């Protein structure tokens, strides 16, 4: 709710504040403020009501939004919180999850490094009983290329070597931060280990390509394990268009084909964002490393969960309703992965490798196009329940959100 320059978040209806409400309500209120007569160049104030029940997956988004507003206004953003010093659940949650430590201005070396994203009165936090303590590893984490531990890595001139070093660095951190949570997933150890490796890849991608800090949180309860990753970087389109052209991949080529095949009515910038998501799936599918596409397959196929990818003002939701298309994509991805592995073991077979990759890339491209056509076709038939969502307000960067049921059959 917007009142002058104050954006008020609450849960008066007892419904949690989810990422959907973040995109639909909070961003809309901010957009209204910047377009209203109230805006005189001053930064908005974010106010959190005591009734607010915030979904943990929103914390990376809220932190990313604060960082964006700080960058725009060149100052920390005011965060208002009302504390009765006894039963304020939202402040307790933000404190115990390390959110307030990271976004504030503390100088305590025992806490995560303060980023001064938000400013708030220290008297509004603390003095809680230990009743309702959260699980210790339910913490939000901020990963930055400016972290002291990356000083030696950042000076590596060779891009691939620097990237490999970043993955190794963040693989260690991801294991430390999320191993116990991943261990609770109802799946086999092989998939659990791959989840941690893919997380380190996504963190590296966010820092290496977007130029942004990366905000990440994993959280579980008796129903599901959720993971949320956000950045405010250059986005998918600008990232994909600077990829190196190869014999089997042409940056932007799939988007060009989709532009000819899909005629759904959308603003040009929205179409480009949507097509960029499918181009990213395609590129990730061709890689010799596991990444976003592999995470999507594992979450949806192996764990019967949900995968959401948000870019700008477009979100794609991948679920078990697409199992037929995903099964085909997984089969092609397996062939591509084996092709990369054989070439790694026998580099002298470059001729066979390139001819096979050319064939597999064509298969992959056609399968991704088929998936995109199916999703857009369903969007025109039933917008409310389609796998693609178009939001009114654009939000810089990329946000990945996954949900995995606790009991996976």
């Amino acid at each position: 709710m917007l009142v002058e320059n104050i954006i008020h978040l609450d849960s008066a209806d007892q419904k949690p504040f989810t990422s959907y409400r973040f995109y639909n309500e909070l961003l809309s209120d901010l957009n209204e403020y910047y377009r209203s007569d109230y805006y005189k160049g001053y930064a908005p104030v974010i106010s959190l009501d005591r009734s607010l029940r915030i979904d943990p997956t929103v914390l990376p988004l809220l932190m990313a939004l604060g960082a964006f507003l700080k960058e725009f206004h060149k100052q920390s953003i005011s965060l208002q919180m009302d504390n009765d010093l006894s039963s304020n659940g939202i402040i307790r949650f933000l404190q115990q999850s390390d959110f307030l430590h990271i976004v504030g201005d503390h100088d305590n070396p025992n806490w995560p490094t303060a980023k001064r994203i938000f400013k708030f009165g220290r008297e509004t936090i603390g003095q809680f009983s230990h009743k309702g303590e959260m699980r210790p590893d339910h913490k939000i984490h901020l990963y930055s290329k400016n972290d002291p531990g990356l000083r030696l890595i950042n000076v590596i001139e060779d891009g691939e070597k620097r990237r490999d070093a970043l993955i190794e660095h963040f693989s260690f951190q991801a294991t430390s931060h999320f191993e116990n949570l991943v261990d609770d997933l109802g799946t086999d150890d092989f998939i659990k280990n791959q989840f941690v490796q893919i997380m380190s890849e996504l963190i590296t991608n966010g820092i290496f390509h977007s130029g942004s800090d990366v905000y990440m949180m994993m959280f579980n309860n008796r129903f599901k394990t959720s993971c949320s990753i956000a950045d405010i970087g250059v986005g998918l389109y600008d990232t994909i268009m600077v990829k190196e052209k190869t014999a089997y991949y042409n940056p932007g080529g799939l988007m060009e084909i989709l532009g000819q095949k899909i005629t759904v009515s959308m603003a040009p910038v929205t179409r480009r964002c949507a097509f960029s998501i499918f181009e990213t799936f395609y590129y990730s599918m061709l890689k010799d490393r596991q990444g976003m596409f592999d995470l999507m397959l594992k979450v949806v196929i192996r764990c019967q969960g949900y995968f959401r990818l948000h870019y700008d003002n477009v979100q794609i939701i991948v679920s078990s309703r697409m199992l037929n298309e995903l099964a085909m994509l997984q089969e092609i991805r397996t062939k591509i992965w084996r092709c990369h592995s054989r070439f790694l073991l026998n580099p002298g077979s470059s001729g066979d490798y390139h001819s096979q990759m050319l064939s597999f890339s064509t298969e992959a491209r056609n399968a991704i196009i088929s998936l995109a056509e199916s999703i857009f076709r369903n969007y025109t038939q039933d917008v409310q329940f389609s796998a693609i969502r178009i939001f009114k307000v654009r939000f810089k960067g990329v946000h990945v959100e996954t949900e995995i049921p606790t009991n996976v059959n």
Side-chain angles (χ1 to χ4, degrees):
M1 180 175 64
L2 172 66
V3 179
E4 295 186 347
N5 70 322
I6 299 176
I7 313 295
H8 188 71
L9 307 184
D10 62 30
S11 295
D13 54 5
Q14 296 302 305
K15 294 180 181 178
F17 194 86
T18 61
S19 58
Y20 181 79
R21 292 183 64 182
F22 174 91
Y23 296 127
N24 257 358
E25 298 175 17
L26 176 54
L27 293 186
S28 293
D29 285 345
L30 278 170
N31 184 60
E32 182 183 345
Y33 166 63
Y34 283 109
R35 292 174 177 271
S36 72
D37 294 334
Y38 294 125
Y39 181 56
K40 306 294 183 183
Y42 300 111
V45 174
I46 308 296
S47 174
L48 309 182
D49 191 88
R50 273 183 289 170
S51 70
L52 182 64
R53 295 174 54 226
I54 193 166
D55 190 287
T57 56
V58 174
L59 291 192
L61 286 173
L62 194 58
M63 196 174 283
L65 176 63
F68 173 77
L69 293 175
K70 177 187 176 183
E71 183 180 289
F72 179 76
H73 288 284
K74 310 302 181 187
Q75 66 181 58
S76 302
I77 305 303
S78 292
L79 186 67
Q80 289 185 354
M81 299 174 286
D82 180 25
N83 190 359
D84 61 6
L85 300 180
S86 61
S87 61
N88 191 309
I90 181 59
I91 299 181
R92 184 197 304 269
F93 172 62
L94 294 179
Q95 183 184 29
Q96 294 180 0
S97 67
D98 280 349
F99 180 90
L100 293 179
H101 299 325
I102 294 175
V103 303
D105 62 355
H106 72 81
D107 52 11
N108 190 329
N110 298 314
W111 292 342
T113 304
K115 296 295 181 178
R116 292 176 168 78
I117 295 173
F118 289 106
K119 55 185 176 183
F120 49 86
R122 293 196 182 196
E123 68 277 3
T124 63
I125 65 174
Q127 301 190 39
F128 292 117
S129 70
H130 291 290
K131 182 180 178 181
E133 283 286 316
M134 290 194 338
R135 179 170 170 163
D137 43 12
H138 282 172
K139 305 287 189 184
I140 185 167
H141 299 278
L142 184 150
Y143 304 96
S144 173
K145 64 181 179 182
N146 298 319
D147 287 346
L150 297 180
R151 278 196 296 262
L152 295 178
I153 295 176
N154 288 333
V155 298
I156 299 175
E157 293 185 5
D158 184 277
E160 280 302 305
K161 290 182 179 179
R162 185 167 70 252
R163 179 188 175 83
D164 289 341
L166 284 171
I167 290 177
E168 183 178 355
H169 175 84
F170 289 123
S171 178
F172 175 80
Q173 287 202 332
T175 300
S176 173
H177 294 160
F178 306 113
E179 185 175 35
N180 291 335
L181 292 167
V182 170
D183 203 44
D184 288 344
L185 295 176
T187 185
D188 58 75
D189 289 340
F190 178 72
I191 296 297
K192 293 175 184 178
N193 291 334
Q194 287 192 322
F195 266 113
V196 174
Q197 292 304 312
I198 293 173
M199 285 177 194
S200 64
E201 172 81 12
L202 293 181
I203 294 168
T204 299
N205 282 345
I207 290 176
F208 193 76
H209 295 301
S210 76
S212 161
D213 289 342
V214 174
Y215 315 93
M216 183 171 179
M217 184 165 190
M218 181 176 279
F219 190 93
N220 63 11
N221 56 32
R222 58 178 176 159
F223 303 110
K224 63 185 179 181
T225 296
S226 302
C227 182
S228 176
I229 310 171
D231 66 56
I232 53 170
V234 299
L236 298 180
Y237 178 80
D238 287 342
T239 299
I240 208 75
M241 294 307 292
V242 297
K243 296 296 183 185
E244 182 182 357
K245 184 177 181 179
T246 68
Y248 53 85
Y249 178 71
N250 178 30
L254 185 135
M255 285 189 282
E256 197 173 313
I257 296 173
L258 291 179
Q260 298 168 357
K261 287 180 170 289
I262 295 175
T263 58
V264 64
S265 178
M266 283 182 182
V269 66
T270 302
R271 282 167 57 88
R272 191 181 77 175
C273 290
F275 293 168
S276 296
I277 291 177
F278 292 103
E279 178 88 32
T280 300
F281 285 158
Y282 176 48
Y283 177 77
S284 180
M285 194 175 175
L286 298 178
K287 287 169 57 176
D288 58 354
R289 289 190 178 96
Q290 295 202 72
M292 187 184 296
F293 183 80
D294 301 281
L295 177 65
M296 178 185 74
L297 291 180
K298 287 173 174 58
V299 167
V300 179
I301 296 181
R302 296 295 296 268
C303 300
Q304 294 94 57
Y306 287 86
F307 176 93
R308 304 182 185 95
L309 176 58
H310 180 278
Y311 166 46
D312 209 279
N313 68 325
V314 180
Q315 185 182 63
I316 299 291
I317 306 168
V318 184
S319 68
S320 57
R321 289 189 295 175
M322 307 173 191
L323 278 182
N324 289 336
E325 293 95 337
L326 294 179
M328 180 183 298
L329 289 168
Q330 184 178 51
E331 183 180 332
I332 300 169
R333 174 57 176 158
T334 300
K335 290 190 288 187
I336 291 172
W337 184 257
R338 287 174 179 169
C339 183
H340 285 309
S341 300
R342 286 193 298 268
F343 178 65
L344 184 64
L345 293 172
N346 183 19
S349 61
S350 59
D352 290 341
Y353 169 75
H354 289 297
S355 63
Q356 288 178 12
M357 281 300 300
L358 187 60
S359 174
F360 294 152
S361 67
T362 301
E363 281 189 68
R365 184 187 62 209
N366 291 339
I368 291 289
I369 290 171
S370 177
L371 174 66
E373 288 180 317
S374 173
I375 288 176
F376 277 101
R377 185 165 53 249
N378 292 335
Y379 174 76
T380 60
Q381 294 172 357
D382 191 345
V383 173
Q384 184 178 359
F385 296 101
S386 74
I388 184 169
R389 288 174 176 168
I390 310 298
F391 297 99
K392 294 180 180 178
V393 183
R394 300 165 65 183
F395 184 49
K396 185 180 181 182
V398 177
H399 175 217
V400 176
E401 187 178 332
T402 65
E403 289 182 15
I404 298 174
T406 300
N407 296 315
V408 178
N409 297 323

